[in-house]
């Protein structure tokens, strides 16, 4: 079997039934380059994700609508992943506040370097999300004001209210479960920390859900979604970079512990 037919087998059956002849003719007309091979494999992956595109006849407006929904859903997925990374990052930051870690980071170059890489990735991801998300946010506000719809505005107020509620809950938990109090048992301290994590998770989930609701219920111009695509890709790369840097940091800490 030729390489062209092997690549063709990567595509869904419905796609092959429609484009097999044209596909083989084009590939047989010239030598296959590495770049073309990568593009073909990427196209096969996309064809499996969206098998109806290009294989089912549909009006152009419907195709545009589906592409718009797909682009919007992709951006919201990246945003939700970023929120999850924020929660994980807060845990990581809290863990590295200990004086022992600070001392190790100062004396061990590998530990300090990998920690700095995590911070750099976090900053890049934050800037990318802001660059891509702020125009969409303003577009949603403009849509709500022009159309006189209270739903999106209420949805945008939810993250603010959730943040205020989180701060109030945090203050209350500090009073009830002060970690320096000698009267608290280990169980009570664990309960206080569990409640803190619960409030933090609830606030984050509610806020992210509210923003997703606002974006899906607003008519965001496609140009803003396309503008947000490069920053979202950069944010995704930065989050992957942070994950790798965190693993390297853990590996460096293990090496320091073994050599101590």
């Amino acid at each position: 079997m030729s390489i062209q037919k092997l690549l063709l087998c990567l595509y869904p059956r419905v796609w092959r039934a429609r484009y097999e002849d044209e596909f083989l003719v084009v590939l047989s007309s010239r030598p296959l380059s590495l770049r073309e091979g990568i593009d073909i494999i990427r196209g096969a992956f996309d064809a499996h994700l969206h098998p109806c595109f290009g294989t089912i006849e549909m009006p152009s407006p419907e195709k545009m609508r589906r592409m718009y929904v797909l682009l919007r859903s992709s951006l919201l997925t990246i945003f939700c992943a970023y929120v999850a990374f924020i929660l994980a990052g807060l845990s990581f930051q809290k863990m590295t506040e200990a004086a022992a870690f600070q001392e190790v980071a100062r004396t061990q170059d590998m530990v300090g370097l990998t920690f700095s890489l995590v911070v750099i990735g976090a900053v890049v991801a934050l800037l990318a999300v802001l660059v891509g998300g702020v125009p969409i946010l303003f577009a949603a506000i403009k849509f709500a004001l022009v159309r006189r719809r209270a739903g999106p505005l209420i949805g945008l107020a939810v993250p603010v209210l959730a943040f205020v509620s989180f701060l109030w809950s945090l203050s209350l938990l500090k009073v009830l479960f002060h970690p320096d109090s000698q009267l608290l048992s280990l169980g009570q301290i664990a309960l206080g920390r569990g409640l803190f994590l619960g409030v933090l998770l609830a606030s984050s989930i509610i806020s992210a859900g509210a923003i997703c609701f606002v974006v899906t219920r607003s008519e965001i111009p496609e140009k803003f979604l396309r503008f947000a695509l490069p920053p979202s890709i950069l944010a995704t790369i930065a989050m992957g970079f942070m994950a790798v840097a965190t693993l390297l940091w853990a590996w460096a800490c293990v090496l320091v512990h073994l050599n101590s």
Side-chain angles (χ1 to χ4, degrees):
M1 182 180 292
S2 64
I3 184 64
Q4 290 85 355
K5 290 188 176 181
L6 285 175
L7 292 173
L8 179 63
C9 291
L10 298 176
Y11 284 79
R13 181 179 301 177
V14 63
W15 194 96
R16 297 198 305 268
R18 179 164 184 177
Y19 296 109
E20 179 176 2
D21 293 337
E22 295 90 336
F23 183 87
L24 293 176
V25 168
V26 171
L27 290 186
S28 300
S29 62
R30 62 180 184 274
L32 182 66
S33 66
L34 177 61
R35 181 176 180 179
E36 289 176 335
I38 295 175
D39 288 340
I40 291 172
I41 295 174
R42 185 175 59 183
F45 179 74
D46 184 71
H48 280 283
L49 289 178
H50 316 105
C52 62
F53 289 162
T55 59
I56 299 177
E57 291 294 340
M58 64 178 66
S60 295
E62 177 64 15
K63 289 183 180 180
M64 296 300 296
R65 187 192 69 81
R66 292 197 179 194
M67 291 298 296
Y68 176 88
V69 172
L70 177 62
L71 178 58
R72 185 182 62 191
S73 300
S74 300
L75 294 175
L76 291 177
T77 300
I78 294 174
F79 169 73
C80 292
Y82 176 72
V83 172
F85 258 75
I86 290 178
L87 295 176
L90 289 175
S91 301
F92 177 78
Q93 190 272 338
K94 188 67 176 178
M95 181 176 60
T96 56
E97 284 182 350
F101 167 77
Q102 299 294 335
E103 180 64 23
V104 172
R106 284 193 298 267
T107 58
Q108 301 293 329
D109 293 338
M110 188 62 180
V111 176
L113 175 61
T114 51
F115 181 78
S116 299
L117 292 178
V118 174
V119 174
I120 292 173
V123 172
V124 172
L126 173 61
L127 293 177
V129 170
L130 290 177
V131 169
V134 169
I136 295 177
L137 177 64
F138 279 110
I141 295 175
K142 181 179 179 181
F143 168 80
L145 294 176
V146 172
R147 297 294 183 87
R148 296 182 179 180
R149 294 188 179 180
L153 295 178
I154 295 175
L156 291 175
V158 168
V160 178
L161 296 176
F163 181 70
V164 173
S165 300
F166 170 73
L167 293 180
W168 179 82
S169 301
L170 183 60
S171 300
L172 180 61
L173 289 174
K174 283 185 177 180
V175 174
L176 297 177
F177 302 96
H178 198 284
D180 295 331
S181 176
Q182 301 297 325
L183 301 177
L184 294 179
S185 64
L186 291 177
Q188 290 173 320
I189 294 176
L191 176 61
R193 293 180 178 178
L195 290 175
F196 167 77
L197 291 176
V199 172
L200 177 61
L201 284 174
S203 301
S204 302
I205 293 173
I206 291 173
S207 299
I211 292 177
C212 292
F213 170 81
V214 170
V215 174
T216 54
R217 293 298 186 274
S218 303
E219 295 179 5
I220 308 297
E222 186 177 352
K223 63 180 181 180
F224 290 120
L225 298 181
R226 293 191 177 277
F227 174 80
L229 189 57
S232 68
I233 295 174
L234 178 60
T236 303
I237 295 174
M239 287 187 286
F241 180 82
M242 290 169 58
V244 173
T246 303
L247 292 176
L248 292 175
W249 171 83
W251 176 69
C253 290
V254 170
L255 290 180
V256 171
H257 177 72
L258 293 177
N259 294 329
S260 60

